[in-house]
Amino acid sequence: MTKVITYGTYDLLHYGHIKLLERAKALGDYLIVGVTADDFDRKRGKLNVQQTLIERIEAVRATGLADEIIVEEYEGQKIDDIKRFEVDIFTVGSDWVGQFDYLNEFCKVVYLERTQGVSSTELRSRQHEIRIGLVGESRVINKFAHESQYINGIRIVGVCTKAPENLNAALLKLPLVTASYPELLEHVDAVYILSHPSKHYRHIKAALEKKIHVLYESPMALSLAHCKELQTLSRTQDCVLSEGIKTAYSIAYNRLILLAKSGKIGDILSVEAVCTSLQDIDYSDSKSLEHTWNSMTAWAPTALLPVFQLLGTQYTSKQIISKIGNEEMRFDKFSRLHFIYPTATASVLVGKGIKSEGHLIISGTKGYIYVPAPWWKTEYFELRYENPQENRRYFYQLDGEGIRYEILAFARAIDKKQHHNIASNISEGIVQIMEAFVQRKDCLSLDN
Ligand code: CTP
């Protein structure tokens, strides 16, 4: 009996897949089909596979061509499978020519001509494309546009900015580059808002009123009343309102939060998060500070995320200690935030005029989680105990600093009309801190 094996994702199973499976089957007597697991696809950079593993397996099964279906979960598995199932022929489409020649050592390798004119990528992008507009002056907009290329089903169609000099060549070539926000809103289904935080409320409101979905770089607004108004508006307009904190979308970060919550380090007693990035800022130039994010808005949403996700937002008291660089603009060189909860404490340090070790430490009654700097681009963390032999290390690949996953989650939320990742009480908690800072409530300023 000749055994044949082939692998694929088989997302939105199409004619090209069926043709391939038919020819693979014809190469022998018994066909094994390996369907890639979701995690494995993500590692290979196939981010927005639309169907779940179960759905994809069912689709392959329904063709009636596979005698056996297996799941491909790790790199190098093909060799294991070929040996285990005593496979005679390995085959894939001609888009892979040469890439599996190394398997010749274990069985015969056959590349079959790929069917022209059809692919899962193309089918995915045909499903109602979301037109996205970008808003803001920061260069991060270029990064966002770059990362969005990895996601099918969305297209950046325009930018609204007062600083076109910060746009790269690709963005300058877009059909719409304008200083008029209403004009941008006429041409899009969704916006990514990276304007100065003082404009977020106005920009988000205008978008939602036109039933345009919003992904905003946190914070949502600078007052709780504005935040609640926007949340209500997003519900009545049936629009997605997504908090953009890229760390929240990193796999490693999510895993460490789950581990902490599942009691691996006992009861959580303390969270300590530091986020700093030294920048050359002229604190006497109020005009230029108008466009610059202060330390609080630039970093506190990220630093507060693990605090609020682990300890909640119902702290009994807080204190914000800042060194203010420009009083009129409420621009802090750095701020330290202390939170007291009934059974725990938290401390956060954020700054653009200070340099420190950007780590995250979550301490519990049995051990602690340590995430080295820069923890907000988390790929790696450790679980540490009194007895070092019990320590564990975790590594999860992070592509595109998390921005890619953030865009993907946003696109999915729009598609499935579902809200996601960051709970609304956390968005509110972040805005409350911004409001306290602006109103100097529970705040203390150090001398300059
Ligand atoms: N295949 C094919 N002809 C096509 C598309 C796919 O012969 N038009 C083959 C591939 O070469 C592979 C198998 O079908 O051997 C599974 O491919 P998969 O990667 O799941 O499908 P694609 O449509 O290529 O998916 P994507 O666009 O996401 O790369």
Side-chain angles (χ1 to χ4, degrees):
M1 182 171 76
T2 306
K3 274 192 176 178
V4 182
I5 198 162
T6 187
Y7 296 84
T9 306
Y10 304 103
D11 189 27
L12 308 172
L13 196 97
H14 54 70
Y15 175 69
H17 292 144
I18 295 169
K19 293 285 286 178
L20 182 110
L21 292 176
E22 280 171 357
R23 284 172 295 154
K25 174 101 178 169
L27 288 175
D29 313 300
Y30 190 84
L31 177 65
I32 304 170
V33 180
V35 181
T36 47
D38 296 332
D39 250 15
F40 186 62
D41 265 326
R42 217 173 289 130
K43 280 196 202 108
R44 297 191 308 152
K46 271 204 185 191
L47 274 182
N48 51 345
V49 171
Q50 305 276 306
Q51 294 183 296
T52 63
L53 173 62
I54 303 284
E55 287 168 334
R56 292 180 285 117
I57 288 177
E58 279 313 314
V60 171
R61 193 189 312 283
T63 65
L65 292 162
D67 295 292
E68 190 167 344
I69 299 175
I70 59 168
V71 177
E72 186 182 21
E73 288 173 291
Y74 57 90
E75 229 158 304
Q77 184 181 324
K78 291 186 178 77
I79 296 177
D80 278 350
D81 290 341
I82 289 168
K83 286 187 187 161
R84 191 156 53 106
F85 295 107
E86 297 178 344
V87 166
D88 303 289
I89 299 173
F90 166 91
T91 183
V92 275
S94 51
D95 40 329
W96 296 99
V97 165
Q99 299 206 40
F100 293 106
D101 289 356
Y102 68 91
L103 294 175
N104 270 313
E105 190 185 329
F106 308 96
C107 67
K108 189 173 165 195
V109 175
V110 177
Y111 298 103
L112 293 168
E113 199 52 45
R114 191 181 157 91
T115 308
Q116 294 305 307
V118 58
S119 78
S120 303
T121 306
E122 198 225 336
L123 291 176
R124 284 193 290 264
S125 60
R126 253 197 249 156
Q127 299 175 322
H128 42 268
E129 191 175 63
I130 304 162
R131 298 166 306 158
I132 299 190
L134 311 177
V135 190
E137 283 64 45
S138 160
R139 286 178 207 278
V140 177
I141 265 189
N142 298 310
K143 225 185 237 182
F144 184 95
H146 175 77
E147 291 300 320
S148 70
Q149 296 170 8
Y150 294 92
I151 314 297
N152 297 141
I154 65 164
R155 188 160 52 95
I156 307 287
V157 294
V159 188
C160 167
T161 184
K162 301 244 172 353
E165 66 277 9
N166 287 344
L167 302 181
N168 64 19
L171 284 183
L172 284 171
K173 269 195 235 136
L174 287 176
L176 182 65
V177 178
T178 175
S180 157
Y181 188 51
E183 189 186 3
L184 182 83
L185 293 184
E186 286 306 318
H187 297 90
V188 299
D189 309 302
V191 278
Y192 167 58
I193 294 178
L194 185 60
S195 51
H196 189 267
S198 59
K199 297 181 190 151
H200 283 189
Y201 166 69
R202 191 165 56 80
H203 282 155
I204 296 173
K205 188 172 174 184
L208 293 176
E209 279 172 344
K210 297 201 74 149
K211 281 195 176 287
I212 289 169
H213 304 287
V214 176
L215 170 63
Y216 60 88
E217 203 58 34
S218 184
M220 186 194 305
L222 299 178
S223 88
L224 188 60
H226 281 168
C227 168
K228 294 207 168 189
E229 182 192 332
L230 295 174
Q231 284 173 333
T232 308
L233 187 60
S234 79
R235 279 191 292 272
T236 51
Q237 296 290 81
D238 201 16
C239 282
V240 172
L241 178 60
S242 266
E243 178 110 22
I245 301 178
K246 59 183 190 299
T247 308
Y249 300 88
S250 107
I251 300 170
Y253 175 80
N254 279 297
R255 295 284 150 90
L256 77 87
I257 292 292
L258 290 178
L259 282 179
K261 284 190 171 175
S262 66
K264 279 268 185 241
I265 53 167
D267 298 332
I268 299 167
L269 298 182
S270 159
V271 178
E272 200 186 310
V274 179
C275 297
T276 67
S277 55
L278 208 50
Q279 269 180 26
D280 200 9
I281 293 168
D282 179 359
Y283 294 99
S284 61
D285 181 0
S286 294
K287 197 80 205 125
S288 82
L289 291 185
E290 257 177 41
H291 306 291
T292 316
W293 294 49
N294 61 16
S295 300
M296 202 61 175
T297 50
W299 279 121
T302 303
L304 290 170
L305 189 69
V307 175
F308 290 163
Q309 285 187 322
L310 291 169
L311 302 177
T313 50
Q314 302 298 315
Y315 42 84
T316 30
S317 70
K318 68 165 184 308
Q319 187 167 42
I320 305 173
I321 306 153
S322 307
K323 191 156 186 106
I324 303 290
N326 184 313
E327 187 61 52
E328 178 200 354
M329 303 309 295
R330 290 265 189 277
F331 203 106
D332 56 334
K333 290 181 176 172
F334 81 87
S335 292
R336 184 175 278 287
L337 296 84
H338 290 297
F339 295 90
I340 300 174
Y341 290 81
T343 60
T345 67
S347 173
V348 158
L349 175 69
V350 293
K352 287 181 144 187
I354 190 171
K355 190 69 203 153
S356 190
E357 179 73 8
H359 60 209
L360 169 67
I361 299 175
I362 304 162
S363 311
T365 49
K366 290 189 192 153
Y368 68 97
I369 294 176
Y370 169 70
V371 194
W375 72 265
W376 54 90
K377 296 182 192 170
T378 318
E379 280 198 321
Y380 172 78
F381 64 90
E382 292 179 25
L383 239 63
R384 291 182 177 172
Y385 296 97
E386 194 63 36
N387 174 3
Q389 283 181 343
E390 291 174 22
N391 290 0
R392 289 285 171 273
R393 293 160 178 219
Y394 297 82
F395 185 88
Y396 302 91
Q397 193 176 319
L398 178 69
D399 297 307
E401 295 179 20
I403 298 175
R404 203 175 296 180
Y405 308 120
E406 178 180 298
I407 305 171
L408 178 62
F410 181 52
R412 286 223 171 118
I414 294 173
D415 238 20
K416 307 214 153 79
K417 286 256 183 276
Q418 70 183 15
H419 298 263
H420 59 85
N421 244 353
I422 302 177
S424 59
N425 71 315
I426 291 182
S427 306
E428 286 169 24
I430 290 170
V431 170
Q432 261 172 317
I433 296 298
M434 300 300 143
E435 182 171 69
F437 180 75
V438 173
Q439 297 181 353
R440 310 304 295 143
K441 201 168 150 266
D442 300 325
C443 288
L444 205 145
S445 300
L446 301 173
D447 290 341
N448 267 307

